[in-house]
Structures are given as structure tokens and as C-alpha cells.
Amino acid sequence: MKKLLILVIITMLAVPLFAEEGVLIDFSLLAADINVRVSENDTNDKPNQNQRTLMDFSSAAGGSFTAQQRRYMQSSLAIENWEVTLASSSRTVGNVSNSFTRQAASRDHGTVLGVRVLFPIEPFNSWAMIKPPFDIPAYENSTVGTDGTITAMDQEGGITKIRSRFESDEPGQPAYGVIKNVGVIREIQVRVYGLNFPHGLTTILINGMGEESRHFMGYLNFDGWGELVWRNPAYMQEVRNRDLRIVPLYPFNTPFIKFGGFLIQRDAAHVGGDFVTYFKDVQVIYDKAVLDDDRDINDEAIWGIIQNREEARKNWEMERFGQNQVLRYLEQQRQATEPDFRDPSRRDQE
């Protein structure tokens, strides 16, 4: 009886060890490190894209573009490509023009995501959403060269690797927005720099079904770097209280989560106008959906079901991503490039 009691206590203490901890996205990895021209007349040689996360959206452009134009249809998760979207009631020209992201240098954390939002000064509720420039692909098995060339990833045993380059390279390493094999999330942590603003912060996640979930982290009314944590109130620590079931393994995909962005909420009673903050990373603690094991037969090598399914899903994600990027490319090409009438460079030209 005594031995049984000891065994039960050991089992109960071991339950929390099954949870995994991972960095969903680390903004220090998203610094611009390569230069990709955006048009034939682009002479800028400064880094403007992030090599690891560079995507080619020319496949969604249709047949009316030349090969030369298609070459410039690329984008990445480089920090200054991220978007700031305001509530519809706050989208004046001045507010939208002065709400954007910047790559910032931190003494303690290296490169971080800097965000500026210009809220209305009038007393009404408002919000701003900080989102990646495109939906982060969960199934992007390609590599990117230093010149921006994107090529399919090598194969192993005739089977294409299905690890997305937006995942971490090794277990325990930071990811670029995607974590696979995620069951129940226990906690989410955001490292964020506060400047005593009373605004609320929400983290947005997207699961494998495309469903968006929003997790309120807390308020930014502190000074300096802080760690805001969301704890799942429905998380069952005791295994005996969980809904236990056996689920089929192959060929069902393991669940995943990907980063969808941040939401900043400003209350009508609080200060409006300019708002600035910085983000370092987003970390999660979660239960594994499927335990890692060493199986006798390589099911995928025989049937190839997952490879075909994930290739179809990748193409679907690329189509969604590409359509918006093509529209932005066209708008960029139509944009006026002449200097302002009062610009000193105009006088030099004359």
C-alpha cells in the first residue's frame, strides 16, 4: 500500500513535465538581412527583406505579367513589412500614415519589433492590429539563397521534407511563427516594452483549422521590459479529470498553431494620440498532440498521403497570400515617384 501511494505521488508530480515550451516567434530573427529589388528602377542597396522568411507570390499573379515583373514579386516577414490596421472609426489619413512598424535596436535583446500607433485624441474606444504582411505558411518546404532565389527543399528517401521553414530548426530553438504538434495550450507569454500606457494587449493565434483565437495578456501600464502571461483557465492539470480518448495516427496531420498578430485596445477614458511599444518574442507552454515515437514502418514512404495533402494545403495558402501581395505590387508600381514641389532635389534637377 505504501509503495502504491508513492507511485501515485510520483505520477502526479510528473504530469507537468509532459508540457512543452517553445518560442512561437522571435522578432530578433526577422531583421532585414538581404536586399531584394522591388522594381527595375529600384537603386536601393540596403537590406529590405528577411532571407529565411522570403516568399515568392508571382504564381498567383496571373498571365498578364512579364518574367521581369514576376521577379520582383517577393515579400518576407522583415519587421518593417508588418502592418498596422486601425479600427474603421480611426482610419483618417493622418492616423493611418503615422501608424507603422520599425526595426529597433535593444541593448538587452538585440533587434525587436517597434510599433507606433496614432490613436484619435477624441474620447472614444479604438484599437490597432499589428499583423504579419501575409498569413504565415504552415507548410512551406523550400529554402532561400542569399540572392533571394527560392528553391524546393531536398528530399529524403523520395519523400519531400514537410517541415516548414517557418518552424524552428531544432527542438527548443525559436520559431518563425509556426509550432507543430500542439495540443492544449497552457500558457502564453509576451515580452513587451511598456511606456506607462494604459492600453490592453491581446495575442492572436491561428490553429490548423484556420480558426482565430484571441488571448488577453494584460495592460501596458509599466515602464521597461515586462512579461505578460495568459494562463488557460480551462487547462486540466489532473490527468484523471481530462477527457481521455484514443485517436488515429497516420495519415492524420498533427495540429499546429501559428502567430496571427497583436491587438492593442485603447479605452475612451484613456489618453489618445501617439502610442509606442516594442516586442521581443511570444512563447507558449503546451501539451503535445501526439507523442514522438520510433515506428517500425515508414507509412509516408509507402502511401505519400501527408505529402500530397500538405502540398495541396501549401498551394491554397500561397493563393490566398499571393492575391493580396499582387495588388500591393500593382499599387506600388502606380505610386508617384516624383519629388515634392518644395523638395530641394527638384531645384537641383532644374
Side-chain angles (χ1 to χ4, degrees):
M1 184 68 182
K2 191 174 183 180
K3 290 183 179 180
L4 179 60
L5 180 60
I6 293 174
L7 181 60
V8 170
I9 293 174
I10 293 175
T11 303
M12 293 175 64
L13 292 175
V15 168
L17 298 179
F18 294 145
E20 292 286 312
E21 180 177 344
V23 179
L24 175 60
I25 190 165
D26 186 342
F27 294 103
S28 66
L29 302 177
L30 301 180
D33 51 11
I34 60 173
N35 177 263
V36 176
R37 295 175 61 190
V38 297
S39 68
E40 297 180 14
N41 301 323
D42 183 14
T43 59
N44 181 27
D45 58 356
K46 293 177 59 178
N48 60 352
Q49 299 292 349
N50 178 261
Q51 179 180 346
R52 171 69 178 253
T53 62
L54 190 68
M55 293 286 289
D56 181 355
F57 54 90
S58 60
S59 60
S64 60
F65 296 92
T66 66
Q68 185 76 1
Q69 290 174 319
R70 291 175 183 274
R71 194 174 68 176
Y72 304 122
M73 295 183 181
Q74 293 179 311
S75 185
S76 72
L77 294 184
I79 288 175
E80 300 197 4
N81 288 344
W82 287 59
E83 302 172 2
V84 178
T85 303
L86 295 173
S88 58
S89 59
S90 304
R91 291 177 197 165
T92 65
V93 174
N95 290 351
V96 172
S97 301
N98 291 287
S99 300
F100 50 85
T101 59
R102 282 289 181 266
Q103 183 173 302
S106 165
R107 182 184 57 196
D108 297 331
H109 299 296
T111 301
V112 295
L113 169 67
V115 179
R116 177 192 176 187
V117 180
L118 183 56
F119 284 116
I121 59 174
E122 293 79 12
F124 58 83
N125 296 335
S126 187
W127 54 260
M129 191 174 294
I130 299 98
K131 300 185 69 175
F134 51 83
D135 287 342
I136 300 176
Y139 306 99
E140 176 53 36
N141 54 348
S142 60
T143 58
V144 183
T146 55
D147 60 348
T149 302
I150 302 174
T151 56
M153 197 174 283
D154 296 335
Q155 294 188 339
E156 290 182 350
I159 301 300
T160 303
K161 297 178 185 178
I162 56 177
R163 173 178 288 275
S164 171
R165 55 184 163 93
F166 291 84
E167 296 179 65
S168 60
D169 292 323
E170 300 291 340
Q173 296 297 315
Y176 294 76
V178 175
I179 296 181
K180 297 282 183 68
N181 197 18
V182 176
V184 180
I185 296 177
R186 194 175 85 189
E187 293 184 8
I188 303 172
Q189 175 182 279
V190 176
R191 277 196 281 187
V192 56
Y193 193 89
L195 291 167
N196 287 333
F197 284 93
H199 304 330
L201 173 66
T202 297
T203 298
I204 303 171
L205 301 182
I206 301 172
N207 65 17
M209 302 297 293
E211 299 167 337
E212 183 180 280
S213 61
R214 301 187 176 189
H215 310 274
F216 182 71
M217 309 300 301
Y219 295 95
L220 301 172
N221 53 351
F222 55 87
D223 182 19
W225 288 103
E227 297 172 351
L228 298 182
V229 178
W230 173 85
R231 293 180 175 86
N232 187 353
Y235 185 83
M236 289 287 186
Q237 191 72 37
E238 294 290 344
V239 174
R240 67 172 70 102
N241 295 330
R242 296 188 177 190
D243 182 16
L244 304 178
R245 65 186 67 182
I246 297 176
V247 295
L249 298 178
Y250 185 84
F252 293 91
N253 294 337
T254 55
F256 65 85
I257 58 170
K258 58 184 180 180
F259 182 66
F262 295 116
L263 180 68
I264 306 293
Q265 293 169 295
R266 174 244 173 167
D267 189 271
H270 295 152
V271 62
D274 276 310
F275 161 77
V276 173
T277 191
Y278 305 90
F279 296 96
K280 170 61 173 70
D281 56 27
V282 178
Q283 302 181 48
V284 292
I285 298 177
Y286 59 94
D287 292 348
K288 284 186 175 182
V290 179
L291 291 176
D292 298 329
D293 58 357
D294 185 12
R295 305 189 63 79
D296 175 55
I297 298 176
N298 186 348
D299 303 293
E300 182 63 12
I302 299 172
W303 309 108
I305 298 175
I306 294 179
Q307 179 178 340
N308 295 334
R309 184 181 297 168
E310 297 200 354
E311 185 67 25
R313 187 159 191 164
K314 170 192 167 183
N315 293 337
W316 175 77
E317 288 184 342
M318 177 61 72
E319 183 177 352
R320 291 183 59 204
F321 151 72
Q323 290 174 351
N324 288 333
Q325 297 299 318
V326 169
L327 292 176
R328 290 174 187 162
Y329 169 81
L330 292 174
E331 193 65 27
Q332 188 176 46
Q333 299 307 304
R334 289 192 289 260
Q335 193 173 24
T337 58
E338 292 295 323
D340 296 339
F341 286 115
R342 296 183 180 180
D343 194 318
S345 62
R346 176 179 288 272
R347 301 191 192 97
D348 295 338
Q349 294 175 4
E350 295 174 352

